[in-house]
């Protein structure tokens, strides 16, 4: 084959490859109000991409490498849709047989087989691709697949930690790649859920990764980034950031349930504000809290009122309060209560990893090493202001002077309700 013929063949394959890449760009960035419009656009554009590929004359796709590239591009184009397509798998399988060094074909084949539900074979494809050399995209896919494989297993926390490590490997190859940072954020968030949804450090790691991802202009069209970052802020009780993130996700992709999350959060905040400004009379509060100042404390802890707490973790400090209300809301966790201290100052208590039956209205509660936050922000013209305390462990809570038993601990994770 002459150099001119090879050049023409390369140009034709380059055009087909560009069309295939643009097809995936549409899949990842186009979110019309009507999802059927996206399906229709993908069908139209994939048909055009296949026509462009088939326009390459047979004599210019005779060599094993050219045939492998042709099969790879055809399989990739066919696989752009959410559902599994056997034709796509067949073409991608031919591609890797013709050219086992074609890493992109291994990646696409793994993605295609994943849709079929054969997770072990999909992982094998990614592993074979990585045997050709380090690759950030494949490491990200492997990390994602491991999170999927972890679901429902006895050692899911260990498998998710492998996902975190592979995500970090991808970043080490390109610290400016937003998708790799986004994947690490998802891995850390999943680790938070599967390990019991209590470790704030995992949330902070996730948030930092998402913030790095946001620096990549290409990620600004990713609604899942806004949505997952909002989930992190929700569990960090950064309510304003969470609301803004969910709203941004909804604007980018109306198909997400992001506005439902906004409504649930606003409903919770409105209920808290209503209870805080309710009609509990001063005399009743005085009666309810009169005995709190005499509650005995472990000498290792200094007694404090809610007004004396510092932002963040208050080590070697204990506060005592009376439970006025259990705040019902629509999310799985945490549980919220309205408490009042001996100074008759009301505050919100959020409790993680503890059954709601452990704390009841009217109980006297001692909180050890409380994590304090002063909430003060406005949303859609309404101002929310309240003092908030968070506890994550059974050991931090005494109810009516008694420690909580292990039966009060929530053993299951909340991963099923929050899948990043």
């Amino acid at each position: 084959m002459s150099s001119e013929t090879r050049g023409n063949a390369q140009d034709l394959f380059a055009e087909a490859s560009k069309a295939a890449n643009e097809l995936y760009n549409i899949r990842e960035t186009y979110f019309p109000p009507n999802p059927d419009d996206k399906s229709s656009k993908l069908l139209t554009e994939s048909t055009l991409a296949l026509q462009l590929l088939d326009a390459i004359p047979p004599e210019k796709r005779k060599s094993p490498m050219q045939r492998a590239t042709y099969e790879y591009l055809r399989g990739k184009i066919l696989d752009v849709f959410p559902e599994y397509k056997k034709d796509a798998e067949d073409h991608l399988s031919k591609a890797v047989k013709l050219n086992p060094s074609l890493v992109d074909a291994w990646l696409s084949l793994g993605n295609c087989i994943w849709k079929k539900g054969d997770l072990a074979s999909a992982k094998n494809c990614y592993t074979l691709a990585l045997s050709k050399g380090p690759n950030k995209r494949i490491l990200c896919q492997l990390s994602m697949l491991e999170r999927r494989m972890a679901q429902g297993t006895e050692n899911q926390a260990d498998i998710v930690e492998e996902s975190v490590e592979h995500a970090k490997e991808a970043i080490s190859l390109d610290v400016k790649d937003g998708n790799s940072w986004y994947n690490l954020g998802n891995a850390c968030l999943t680790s938070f859920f599967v390990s019991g949804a209590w470790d704030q450090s995992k949330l902070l790691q996730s948030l930092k990764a998402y913030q790095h991802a946001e620096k990549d202009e290409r990620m600004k069209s990713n609604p899942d980034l806004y949505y997952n970052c909002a989930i992190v802020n929700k569990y960090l009780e950064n309510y304003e950031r969470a609301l803004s993130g969910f709203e941004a996700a909804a604007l980018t992709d109306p198909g997400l349930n992001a506005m439902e999350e906004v409504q649930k959060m606003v409903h919770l905040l409105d209920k808290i504000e209503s209870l805080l400004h309710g009609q509990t009379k001063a005399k009743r509060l005085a009666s309810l809290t009169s005995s709190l100042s005499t509650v005995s404390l472990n000498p290792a802890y200094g007694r404090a009122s809610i007004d004396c707490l510092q932002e963040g973790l208050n080590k070697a400090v204990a506060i005592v309060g009376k439970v006025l209300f259990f705040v019902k809301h629509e999310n799985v966790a945490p549980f919220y209560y309205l408490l009042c201290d001996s100074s008759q100052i009301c505050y919100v208590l959020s409790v993680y990893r503890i059954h709601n039956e452990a704390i009841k209205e009217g109980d006297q509660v001692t909180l050890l090493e409380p994590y304090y936050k002063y909430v003060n922000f406005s949303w859609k013209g309404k101002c929310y202001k309240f003092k908030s305390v968070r506890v994550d462990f059974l050991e931090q809570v005494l109810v009516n002077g008694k420690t909580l038993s292990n039966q009060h601990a929530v053993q299951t994770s909340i991963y099923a309700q929050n899948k990043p």
Side-chain angles (χ1 to χ4, degrees):
M1 182 183 290
S2 69
S3 60
E4 181 180 356
T5 303
R6 281 199 304 272
N8 289 338
Q10 288 172 357
D11 290 344
L12 291 169
F13 276 114
E15 287 183 32
S17 179
K18 183 179 178 181
N21 290 336
E22 179 56 30
L23 191 60
Y24 277 76
N25 184 55
I26 292 170
R27 188 183 75 174
E28 302 301 327
T29 63
Y30 179 54
F31 301 99
N34 184 353
D36 290 341
D37 292 342
K38 180 173 183 174
S39 300
S40 177
K41 188 174 181 67
L42 284 175
L43 181 60
T44 299
E45 295 299 323
S46 64
T47 301
L48 293 174
L50 288 173
Q51 289 174 353
L52 188 61
L53 182 64
D54 288 339
I56 300 174
E59 66 270 14
K60 293 185 178 179
R61 41 184 164 97
K62 281 185 176 180
S63 72
M65 186 172 293
Q66 288 173 337
R67 282 160 47 210
T69 302
Y70 173 85
E71 296 291 347
Y72 156 61
L73 289 173
R74 192 169 193 87
K76 181 179 179 180
I77 292 167
L78 290 170
D79 195 47
V80 74
F81 301 96
E83 64 276 3
Y84 165 76
K85 289 187 179 294
K86 187 178 184 306
D87 283 353
E89 181 183 352
D90 290 343
H91 286 290
L92 293 168
S93 295
K94 288 179 184 177
V96 295
K97 287 176 182 176
L98 288 164
N99 184 3
S101 297
L102 191 53
V103 172
D104 287 343
W106 282 114
L107 174 61
S108 292
L109 179 59
N111 296 345
C112 180
I113 292 174
W114 183 349
K115 293 179 185 178
K116 186 169 66 172
D118 189 350
L119 306 187
S121 294
K123 183 174 183 178
N124 188 50
C125 289
Y126 299 146
T127 303
L128 284 168
L130 288 172
S131 70
K132 315 298 179 185
N135 184 295
K136 65 182 182 183
R137 290 185 302 146
I138 294 168
L139 283 166
C140 283
Q141 286 299 109
L142 177 58
S143 176
M144 289 170 58
L145 178 64
E146 285 167 335
R147 296 197 293 277
R148 174 64 184 84
M149 295 179 79
Q151 294 179 33
T153 62
E154 292 183 358
N155 61 332
Q156 63 175 351
D158 293 333
I159 298 174
V160 170
E161 286 311 305
E162 291 179 19
S163 168
V164 171
E165 290 307 311
H166 284 128
K168 289 178 179 178
E169 286 181 46
I171 290 170
S172 70
L173 298 175
D174 184 357
V175 295
K176 293 184 178 180
D177 180 54
N179 185 64
S180 295
W181 281 108
Y182 167 66
N183 180 59
L184 176 61
N186 289 349
C188 291
L189 180 53
T190 303
S191 180
F192 166 76
F193 289 134
V194 301
S195 60
W198 61 268
D199 190 347
Q200 289 194 62
S201 68
K202 295 182 186 295
L203 289 176
L204 293 171
Q205 291 169 24
S206 180
L207 184 62
K208 183 178 180 180
Y210 288 144
Q211 288 170 341
H212 277 290
E214 289 171 349
K215 296 176 183 177
D216 189 336
E217 287 293 323
R218 295 169 298 175
M219 296 302 295
K220 291 187 177 179
S221 59
N222 184 340
D224 290 331
L225 171 58
Y226 297 118
Y227 186 90
N228 291 352
C229 190
I231 288 178
V232 171
N233 279 311
K234 180 178 77 170
Y235 285 101
L236 286 171
E237 298 177 19
N238 296 328
Y239 300 107
E240 183 177 15
R241 293 181 189 175
L243 288 167
S244 299
F246 284 130
E247 190 173 70
L251 289 172
T252 309
D253 182 3
L256 290 173
N257 68 334
M259 287 312 297
E260 293 177 24
E261 290 295 327
V262 170
Q263 291 164 5
K264 283 194 265 186
M265 191 172 296
V266 169
H267 185 252
L268 169 64
L269 292 167
D270 285 344
K271 184 173 284 189
I272 288 172
E273 283 289 317
S274 175
L275 291 172
L276 282 168
H277 298 103
Q279 299 301 313
T280 306
K281 295 182 179 180
K283 285 184 178 181
R284 182 168 182 268
L285 285 179
S287 174
L288 288 170
T289 60
S290 59
S291 63
L292 296 180
S293 59
T294 63
V295 174
S296 298
L297 296 178
N298 185 318
Y301 296 92
R303 185 189 299 271
S305 64
I306 189 72
D307 268 355
C308 296
L309 297 183
Q310 298 180 344
E311 285 277 336
L313 184 64
N314 289 259
K315 291 188 176 181
V317 170
I319 61 172
V320 183
K322 195 77 169 180
V323 180
L324 302 180
F325 300 104
F326 172 62
V327 185
K328 294 180 181 180
H329 65 107
E330 299 170 78
N331 288 321
V332 176
F335 297 115
Y336 290 92
Y337 303 85
L338 185 65
L339 274 66
C340 188
D341 72 0
S342 59
S343 302
Q344 299 175 38
I345 298 174
C346 294
Y347 58 97
V348 175
L349 170 65
S350 55
V351 177
Y352 295 76
R353 297 189 75 198
I354 301 175
H355 281 296
N356 64 326
E357 296 89 352
I359 302 173
K360 300 181 178 63
E361 293 178 0
D363 282 342
Q364 168 206 296
V365 176
T366 302
L367 306 172
L368 308 177
E369 301 199 340
Y371 192 95
Y372 174 75
K373 178 191 288 281
Y374 179 58
V375 176
N376 183 4
F377 73 98
S378 295
W379 180 258
K380 306 299 183 184
K382 183 167 183 177
C383 184
Y384 297 98
K385 288 185 181 181
F386 55 89
K387 302 175 190 299
S388 177
V389 171
R390 169 193 183 121
V391 293
D392 296 293
F393 305 100
L394 283 176
E395 295 80 6
Q396 287 180 275
V397 183
L398 303 177
V399 179
N400 299 320
K402 298 179 181 179
T403 58
L404 295 175
S405 66
N406 287 332
Q407 68 183 21
H408 290 120
V410 175
Q411 302 296 337
T412 56
S413 77
I414 54 174
Y415 185 37
Q417 287 78 29
N418 302 273
K419 292 187 203 174

